[in-house]
Amino acid sequence: MGTCKIDFSGKQKRIDVTYPLDKERGIYALLANVHKLREMRFSRGDYDASNLLIDFTDAVGEAGLTARQRLVLYLIYIRCFSQHEVARMLNITQQGVSDHINAAVVRIASVNRMKEQGVGVA
C-alpha cells in the first residue's frame, strides 16, 4: 500500500498568512472580508474562519477601544456604511472617522502582538 501525504494545516496557514492579526494589514484585510468569513463559518462549516473571528473578537474586547472607535468599526464594517455617511451620522469629519479606524486597528494589532510575545494584556 502506498502512502498519501495530506497537509491538513494548509488552510490554517493560508488564513494566518492572509489575516495576520498581529499586523495592521491583517486587521484591515479581516475587516474588509468580515462578511465573507462569517459566511464561510456557516455555509462551509469552516472551523478556521470561526477561530479567526473568535480571536479577532477577543482582541477587540481586550484592546480597550473607545465607544466611538467600536461604533465606527461596527457602522463601516458590519453595517456597510461609507466613511462619509458615518461622518455625517456622528457629526465629525471623514478624516475623523478614518482616524478612529486607524487607531482601533493599531490597538487591536498591538494586543495580538503582545499575545504572540507572551506578554499579558492589561
Side-chain angles (χ1 to χ4, degrees), residues 29-44:
L30 185 146
L31 288 169
N33 292 301
V34 71
H35 292 291
K36 175 183 168 187
L37 290 164
R38 293 173 85 190
E39 178 64 26
M40 288 168 55
R41 288 185 314 170
F42 298 107
S43 66
R44 300 180 194 166

Side-chain angles (χ1 to χ4, degrees), residues 68-84:
R68 183 63 61 103
Q69 288 169 338
R70 286 176 179 268
L71 179 61
V72 166
L73 290 179
Y74 171 75
L75 291 172
I76 290 176
Y77 294 104
I78 303 301
R79 296 292 308 273
C80 300
F81 287 106
S82 71
Q83 286 189 14
H84 182 72

